[in-house]
Amino acid sequence: MPSSRPRSRDQRERPGWRRRLQSALSVHSLATQVFLLQAIVVILLVIAAAVALVLQAKYDSYEDAHNRSLAAAETFAHAPGTAEALESGDPTAALQSATEKAQRGAGVDFISVLGKDGIRYTDPEPQLIGQRVEGDISRAAAGESFTERFEGEPHNAVRAVVPVLDSGRRVVGLVTAGIQVANVGDLLDRQLPVLLTSAAGALVLATGGAALVSRRLRRQTHGLDPAEMTRMYEHHDAVLHAVREGVLIVGGDGRLLLANDEARRLLDLPADADRRPVTELRLGPSFTRLLVSGKEVSDEVFLSGDRLLAVNTRPTAPYGGVTGLVASLRDTTELRALSGRAEVARERLTLLYEAGVRIGTTLDVRRTATELAEVAVPRFADFVTVELLDPVLRGDEPTGVLSEMRRTALIGIREDHPLQPVGDLIPINVTPMTTALDNGRALIEPDLATSGTWGVEDPEGARQALAYGISSLITVPLQARGVVLGLVNFWRSADAPRFDEEDTSFAEELAARAAVAIDNARRFTREHAMAVTLQRSLLPRDLPEQDALDVAWRYLPAQAGVGGDWFDVIPLPGLRVALVVGDVVGHGMHAAATMGRLRTAILNFSSLDLPPADLLAHLDDLVLRIDADQAPGSEVDRATVTGATCLYAIYDSVSGRCTLAHAGHLAPALVDPWNGVTYPELPVSPPLGVGGHPFEETEVDLAEGSRLVLFTDGLVEDRHRDVDEGLALLSSAIAPAGLTPEETCLAVTDAMLPGQPSDDIALLVARARRLDQYRSAVWDVPLDMSAVSRVRAEAGRRLEEWGLEESVFVTELVLSELLTNALRYGAEPVRVRLLYGRTLFCEVSDGSSTSPHLRRAAATDEGGRGLFLVAQFSQRWGTRYVSPGKIIWAELALGAEIPEASVTMFDDELAW
């Protein structure tokens, strides 16, 4: 019979030790398998990496041979003297030594110089000189450089073939350089030990790492004894009792197997709930059906009593038995209320962020007010109206009078609203608007139907608004820097919740951000208007009358700030006209002021009748002096505009010649009747203010009816297109024949100019006229005083032919004085020219550069009154220096008569 003695402790624990041993052996076997698998994977990866490195090294070796060969061949082919040596009588003698030095310096195996037919002129092996090189070299003979792997005599090699070009870009010879394939293999052989050693090291490290991981895995997966299982159960039980989330475990038969303390509290379970069917626990029909069905859900909300529970369920097999269900429960009753408020707050923060991004995108007051309304509708209000003071809209400082404002923006969810439209004056004489302005705070009217103040000034309008469905209002002053700019009104209809106090604080924050943007736009509007006013005051208001050109112009200021673009049309003596366009670097008031100084300087310099190149040289000195006048470290110095571009052209209507010079400016477009649109080639010239560089002139002959289009870079260049695209677009716009200057300007603006350009744009279009030969007269005069009377008589007869009999006497008087001075003090050749245009020009030229000066003669002087008479009887007079000599000219009004005072004062002088 079996023994009744109790078993010893060793006997009781032996089965547990067996299980632990089996568990340890299983873990050890698993760790060994994992280690072997890791080792195999590592070996395969290292082998693949080694093969890839070998292939890459081989590829890199050949690629390096290609690059070194091509670099050596191109360097020698492009070296100074190579082309000349090939065209000499003995290329071998001239180049053999140089190729040997180049070969040693470049580290290649050979450099050879060939003729176009492939005959070697030089070679590292002299016995090959004179023989034709093997392989196809036709690509290089055609002017193309290439590299190849060459197989042939004397050695298989990686070689490059490069053509040698003479100054006319013709191929006069070839240069081939290369590295023998055997040497490329040597390089690879030197690299292989390093690569294989690296691969072996990586294999050792990877295998050792896998071994360490496996060892640590075996150490960390010992079998668990009953005491450890007990402790695990205790910890698990403690977590179930301490966790702030309900846990239910339901068996496959629908009975409750486990409910932790939180689940019992949330579901109000009875004390004997364990092992009872869930259908008997009164958990609610929907929640009970979920537990019985075994369905898997995530964060699904169920009502249990007066609580909202968020439930997650997952199928499980507790205790290794029949499949059941585990459910976790969270009380979301308070969380729902908090999350609702948090969602509203998050939405408000998002809206404020969007307001910061969307409001104030432009520096336009009206657009900024509209952006405020667009941000708030429909996410905060159904309708938004913005009223601003009229001075704010003009850019002025707002005044203290707040009796009325102008509606500037109106945005709503529907278009058929009863609110006053944009542009209307809104009286601000009753509450709640006046109350909000007086307090400087937002005012809320949650129910307009019961308000005792709103709508008092306009009962009919209030009745229509209420009938339409508008039911709630928040009005907020728009204030910046403590100054009221206007009001913003937020309206809601009956379909939306009424405004509350929390909405008021949000409306104030939104209005505060918008007010800063509106004030910035207002200040910019004021400054921009001042700058534009200054700039336009510095530009010509109208073009002067002249006979040489038909002129039209356009000027568009930049959208933001003002620039320094300008233009001018300056009549010059001799029926000539100067055309000017320029662009000061930078924007702002300083650029506009600098532009005014440069334009004034050009007007003054042009009165001296300087050639274009000389005028630009003087202007360059002026810009340098402007820079030198700036105080170092001053605010103006930090933002100074130190450069400018300028194009100055003089057109002579008698000869039809146009002389141009520029300082870093774009060439004008020339539209002639035969060749279409061209851009004259102007010498490269730096902008004004660089200094130390001469300016050159270019002469162009203009046919009758040709158009000269001068412009600044803002016309053809912006952020959306480069200069070449702009010039092509300009050419197509001005190309049609027969356009007048005004029509040309219209065509250019329609095709090229945006509504709000980012840079100033100046456009000047001039159509050339030619003076009729009948309206000019020229006489060559000998250096003899007796010729004065003859020329004077011939000039009188020519004036009579022109129908200018009333101008004969004054013209003869002026001509006599000028011609007498030229014959007495000048040098040959002496020439007289009369030009009949809008006025009459009398010119006397001679070969002397000495210029006469106007002076007042004493009563006892016998002479010295000639130029004084010329100044009295002409509109203008002056001296123009030419090569050689000078021209003294006088401009006379048609039909001019001698003033009585002048006749009395200079009676003795006129008696001749």
Side-chain angles (χ1 to χ4, degrees), residues 633-807:
S634 65
E635 183 177 352
V636 176
D637 179 65
R638 290 192 296 269
T640 184
V641 179
T642 59
T645 64
C646 182
L647 174 66
Y648 188 84
I650 296 179
Y651 173 68
D652 188 345
S653 64
V654 179
S655 64
R657 180 161 297 172
C658 182
T659 305
L660 307 98
H662 79 112
H665 202 83
L666 294 172
L670 175 60
V671 188
D672 62 48
W674 305 285
N675 298 326
V677 180
T678 59
Y679 294 90
E681 291 289 339
L682 302 181
V684 177
S685 180
L688 298 172
V690 175
H693 296 273
F695 298 97
E696 301 180 45
E697 296 178 354
T698 301
E699 292 187 347
V700 179
D701 291 326
L702 301 184
E704 178 82 23
S706 297
R707 284 172 287 156
L708 195 65
V709 182
L710 292 78
F711 52 88
T712 54
D713 58 356
L715 178 67
V716 296
E717 183 181 16
D718 59 26
R719 69 188 67 176
H720 304 296
R721 64 177 178 231
D722 57 22
V723 175
D724 293 336
E725 294 176 355
L727 292 177
L729 190 58
L730 175 63
S731 300
S732 62
I734 64 178
L739 294 180
T740 64
E742 183 63 29
E743 292 171 344
T744 303
C745 287
L746 290 174
V748 171
T749 54
D750 291 342
M752 302 185 65
L753 298 188
Q756 293 292 339
S758 58
D759 192 10
D760 285 16
I761 296 173
L763 173 65
L764 192 62
V765 181
R767 183 172 60 185
R769 298 179 187 171
R770 294 290 294 272
L771 182 67
D772 191 347
Q773 293 183 356
Y774 174 73
R775 286 176 169 260
S776 65
V778 181
W779 293 277
D780 292 322
V781 183
L783 202 62
D784 184 359
M785 296 297 294
S786 62
V788 175
S789 59
R790 176 181 60 81
V791 174
R792 184 173 62 223
E794 292 180 2
R797 286 193 293 273
R798 179 57 63 92
L799 290 177
E800 291 176 354
E801 293 176 4
W802 290 342
L804 303 177
E805 292 84 357
E806 66 277 9
S807 301

Side-chain angles (χ1 to χ4, degrees), residues 224-244:
L224 299 177
D225 58 22
E228 292 172 337
M229 292 295 295
T230 301
R231 284 196 301 270
M232 180 180 294
Y233 174 78
E234 292 172 350
H235 295 164
H236 184 63
D237 187 69
V239 170
L240 287 178
H241 288 294
V243 71
R244 294 292 296 171

Side-chain angles (χ1 to χ4, degrees), residues 1-72:
M1 59 180 296
S3 174
S4 60
R5 292 180 300 172
R7 290 181 298 174
S8 67
R9 181 176 179 181
D10 293 339
Q11 290 175 329
R12 293 197 305 269
E13 293 182 352
R14 187 175 295 112
W17 282 106
R18 185 181 296 110
R19 287 193 298 272
R20 292 183 60 188
L21 179 60
Q22 292 175 350
S23 176
L25 290 175
S26 176
V27 170
H28 183 273
S29 175
L30 177 62
T32 302
Q33 294 175 7
V34 170
F35 169 74
L36 292 176
L37 180 61
Q38 288 179 340
I40 293 173
V41 171
V42 169
I43 291 172
L44 293 177
L45 291 176
V46 171
I47 292 174
V51 172
L53 288 174
V54 170
L55 295 177
Q56 182 64 38
K58 183 176 180 180
Y59 173 82
D60 292 341
S61 299
Y62 275 98
E63 190 67 17
D64 180 64
H66 277 283
N67 294 335
R68 288 167 56 188
S69 301
L70 182 60

